[in-house]
Amino acid sequence: MFKVIALAFAVATIAGTAGAQATGSYKSTAKPTTKSTTARRARAAKRAESQAALQKEAKISEETARATALKEVPNGTVKSSELEREKGKLIYSFDINVPGKTGIEEVNVNAIDGSVVGREHETPKMEKAEAAKEAKEKKANK
C-alpha cells in the first residue's frame, strides 16, 4: 500500500510540474504587428518609390508637362512642380502664380499621356492649410 501511495504521489508531482511549465506564461520575442508598425511599413514603401523610379515610369518629360500646364493658365509663372502618384495616377503637379490674382492655380498633368487631369484655384488660406498638412505628413514619415 505504501508503494502505491508513493507512486501516486510521484506521478502527481511530475504531472503538476509538467502542467505548470506548460501552462505558464510564455513571452514571445517576436513583436506583434500593430497599426503603427503597419503604417511605418507603408511609409517605407512609399519612400522607396523615389523620384528616380517615378521619372523612369513617366512617358512625357517635365518640360512637356510644364508647357501643357502653362497653356491652361495664360500669363502664369510656375511657382513649383512635383512628380507624384495621386489616386493611383502618376502626375506632374504645377503651382502657377497668375499676375493680379491671389492664390495659385494648381494644374495636374498626366505623366503618361500628357493630358490635363485636374485644375484647381487655391486661395492663400487653402495653400496654408495644404502646407501644414504636408509638413505634418513629412514629420510623421520620419
Side-chain angles (χ1 to χ4, degrees), residues 18 23 39 41 51 57 76 81 84 90 94 102 119 121 131 141:
T23 59
R41 286 183 188 152
Q51 284 294 307
E57 194 177 330
S81 64
E84 62 185 337
L90 186 62
F94 296 96
T102 61
R119 178 178 174 178
H121 178 75
N141 287 337

Side-chain angles (χ1 to χ4, degrees), residues 14-127:
I14 291 170
T17 305
Q21 289 175 349
T23 59
S25 63
Y26 174 73
K27 291 188 177 181
S28 172
T29 57
K31 292 182 179 179
T33 302
T34 62
K35 285 185 180 180
S36 63
T37 303
T38 305
R40 264 188 256 125
R41 286 183 188 152
R43 286 191 300 268
K46 194 172 185 178
R47 271 183 265 149
E49 191 174 53
S50 67
Q51 284 294 307
L54 292 175
Q55 287 289 344
K56 285 181 183 178
E57 194 177 330
K59 302 288 184 211
I60 65 166
S61 68
E62 184 174 355
E63 292 76 28
T64 303
R66 180 184 300 261
T68 302
L70 287 172
K71 284 180 188 173
E72 286 289 309
V73 186
N75 301 321
T77 307
V78 174
K79 178 180 172 184
S80 66
S81 64
E82 170 182 30
L83 178 61
E84 62 185 337
R85 190 172 308 280
E86 193 172 280
K87 297 179 185 172
K89 291 184 179 180
L90 186 62
I91 62 165
Y92 287 102
S93 177
F94 296 96
D95 289 345
I96 302 174
N97 283 332
V98 180
K101 201 172 185 183
T102 61
I104 60 162
E105 291 293 323
E106 181 179 4
V107 179
N108 297 327
V109 178
N110 188 312
I112 304 301
D113 64 14
S115 64
V116 175
V117 293
R119 178 178 174 178
E120 178 183 6
H121 178 75
E122 292 184 355
T123 64
K125 185 177 179 179
M126 291 169 67
E127 282 184 83

